């Protein structure tokens, strides 16, 4: 299976992916596009710019398009749509230009695991984090994924609870086939 883990920053995605990878033999983790681009020498602005998010979207599309089987993706194209819609000026990102490529990539996935921010929050977040952006991205992702605004065509598993509960939810779904 090709499984993407999606959600805002500091919600527990990477921790969950690491635990899933430990429990599923033969699965490989695909690092998030930020890491791939950084290794290639991309210099990210702080906070990331429109161009930075577009570069990550492009990289994510390529990673999914080139994917084999039994992969765990830390982020997928829809993550960057969420960031772009939450972070940039409303007219600076034209989703219509990207939508066909995004849908095609998402449909190559077998499962999307959505890790939302919970109330109360399960993750300790420092005051230096951009909490407003984190919440805005979470809201955009809920709109895009749960309301299926993009007609993404992939099964979505929303996980919640403590780390062990989230892990059990993912493993139960994967083992069902």
């Amino acid at each position: 299976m090709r499984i993407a883990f999606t959600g805002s920053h500091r919600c527990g995605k990477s921790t969950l992916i690491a635990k899933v990878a430990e429990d599923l033999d033969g699965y490989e983790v695909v690092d998030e596009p930020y890491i791939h681009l950084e290794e290639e020498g991309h210099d990210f602005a702080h906070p990331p710019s429109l161009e930075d998010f577009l570069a990550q979207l492009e990289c994510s599309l390529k990673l999914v398009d080139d994917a084999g089987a039994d992969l765990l993706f830390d982020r997928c194209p829809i993550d960057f749509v969420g960031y772009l819609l939450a972070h940039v000026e409303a007219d600076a990102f034209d989703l219509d230009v990207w939508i066909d490529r995004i849908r095609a990539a998402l449909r190559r996935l077998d499962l999307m695991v959505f890790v939302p921010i919970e109330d109360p929050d399960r993750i300790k977040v420092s005051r230096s984090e951009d909490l407003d952006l984190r919440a805005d991205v979470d809201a955009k992702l809920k709109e895009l994924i749960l309301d299926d605004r993009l007609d993404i065509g992939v099964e979505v598993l929303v996980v919640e609870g403590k780390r062990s509960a989230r892990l059990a939810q993912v493993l139960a779904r994967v083992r069902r086939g």
Side-chain angles (χ1 to χ4, degrees):
M1 291 180 78
R2 290 176 300 278
I3 307 167
F5 293 75
T6 187
S8 190
H9 53 288
R10 304 285 305 149
C11 67
K13 286 181 316 303
S14 298
T15 301
L16 180 57
I17 291 168
K19 294 292 185 190
V20 170
E22 286 176 15
D23 283 23
L24 292 178
D25 291 333
Y27 277 78
E28 181 181 330
V29 175
V30 178
D31 289 326
E32 66 177 288
Y34 183 95
I35 293 172
H36 286 270
L37 291 169
E38 199 172 49
E39 288 173 353
E40 293 172 6
H42 187 93
D43 188 23
F44 286 93
H46 187 74
S49 66
L50 169 69
E51 291 76 20
D52 291 332
F53 285 119
L54 290 174
Q56 289 178 83
L57 174 56
E58 187 68 51
C59 181
S60 185
L61 289 165
K62 182 172 178 9
L63 289 170
V64 173
D65 286 345
D66 295 346
D70 298 336
L71 296 173
L72 306 172
F73 292 91
D74 190 346
R75 299 203 176 276
C76 68
I78 207 160
D79 286 275
F80 304 104
V81 173
Y83 275 94
L84 285 157
L85 293 175
H87 182 66
V88 301
E89 297 169 16
D91 59 351
F93 173 62
D94 185 357
L95 180 57
D96 291 336
V97 170
W98 293 86
I99 193 65
D100 290 337
R101 289 183 62 205
I102 292 167
R103 282 185 183 130
L106 293 175
R107 289 176 178 152
R108 288 187 44 79
L109 299 172
D110 299 299
L111 179 65
M112 182 184 301
V113 176
F114 178 46
V115 185
I117 297 172
E118 294 184 59
D119 186 19
D121 207 332
R122 301 264 177 206
I123 306 294
K124 284 192 174 204
V125 182
S126 73
R127 294 178 194 252
S128 65
E129 290 285 338
D130 188 339
L131 299 179
D132 290 335
L133 176 61
R134 181 176 178 255
D136 290 347
V137 170
D138 185 67
K140 288 295 181 190
L141 290 174
K142 285 176 180 170
E143 176 185 324
L144 293 166
I145 296 168
L146 302 182
D147 295 344
D148 202 17
R149 180 176 149 204
L150 298 182
D151 185 28
I152 59 176
V154 63
E155 178 187 351
V156 177
L157 172 66
V158 180
V159 295
E160 48 193 15
K162 294 180 180 180
R163 289 178 183 160
S164 59
R166 291 175 176 188
L167 175 62
Q169 292 163 44
V170 174
L171 294 177
R173 171 55 194 90
V174 171
R175 289 179 176 143
R176 260 194 345 255

